[in-house]
Amino acid sequence: MSSFFDDLMAGLNEAVAIERGELQGKKTIYEIQPVKKYDNIQIKQIRQSVGMTQVLFANYMGVSRKTVEAWEKGTNHPTGTACRLISMLENQTFETLPFIKIKEMA
């Protein structure tokens, strides 16, 4: 038989064993951390640390350049989803996002 079939059968046998109480099922619990708030200085430092201009950062965030300017001046503050995206930049995990394409430059 195929490897796919073998894997499928193993999974089904495991499910039956769990249902019968012969095996303990696995469970994953996700803990969502509170949304981190960023001040104007942190926003600018994070943007610069990843080498983004205000225009590129605005494109990443899905906002206008004027909005980024207001955040960096402290006139307005990002909330919710915007803060989550900023935290991805801060933690260097933004490259795994599906809308980020990396172009190698020579």
Side-chain angles (χ1 to χ4, degrees), residues 1 20 62 77 100:
M1 296 278 163
R20 289 181 179 158
H77 305 282
I100 301 292

Side-chain angles (χ1 to χ4, degrees), residues 62-97:
V63 299
S64 70
R65 183 184 54 80
K66 293 285 188 188
T67 297
V68 172
E69 285 179 7
W71 289 347
E72 290 186 0
K73 286 181 183 175
T75 309
N76 292 331
H77 305 282
T79 59
T81 307
C83 289
R84 294 284 191 200
L85 284 171
I86 292 170
S87 76
M88 294 182 89
L89 284 178
E90 181 180 34
N91 295 306
Q92 301 288 317
T93 57
F94 64 98
E95 292 180 351
T96 61
L97 296 170

Side-chain angles (χ1 to χ4, degrees), residues 5-104:
F5 178 79
D6 293 340
D7 291 345
L8 183 60
M9 282 306 297
L12 289 172
N13 288 331
E14 184 177 327
V16 169
I18 290 169
E19 183 64 27
R20 289 181 179 158
E22 298 166 1
L23 279 177
Q24 181 71 25
K26 297 176 187 173
K27 127 173 120 171
T28 302
I29 298 173
Y30 295 94
E31 181 181 325
I32 307 300
Q33 299 297 311
V35 175
K36 181 177 177 181
K37 302 292 184 191
Y38 294 92
D39 65 28
N40 59 319
I41 294 167
Q42 291 172 310
I43 294 167
K44 186 172 185 174
Q45 286 174 341
I46 291 167
R47 175 182 63 77
Q48 290 176 335
S49 75
V50 294
M52 288 187 179
T53 63
Q54 283 187 340
V55 172
L56 185 58
F57 184 71
N59 287 335
Y60 166 78
M61 297 297 299
V63 299
S64 70
R65 183 184 54 80
K66 293 285 188 188
T67 297
V68 172
E69 285 179 7
W71 289 347
E72 290 186 0
K73 286 181 183 175
T75 309
N76 292 331
H77 305 282
T79 59
T81 307
C83 289
R84 294 284 191 200
L85 284 171
I86 292 170
S87 76
M88 294 182 89
L89 284 178
E90 181 180 34
N91 295 306
Q92 301 288 317
T93 57
F94 64 98
E95 292 180 351
T96 61
L97 296 170
F99 56 91
I100 301 292
K101 302 292 180 219
I102 300 171
K103 293 181 182 179
E104 297 296 329

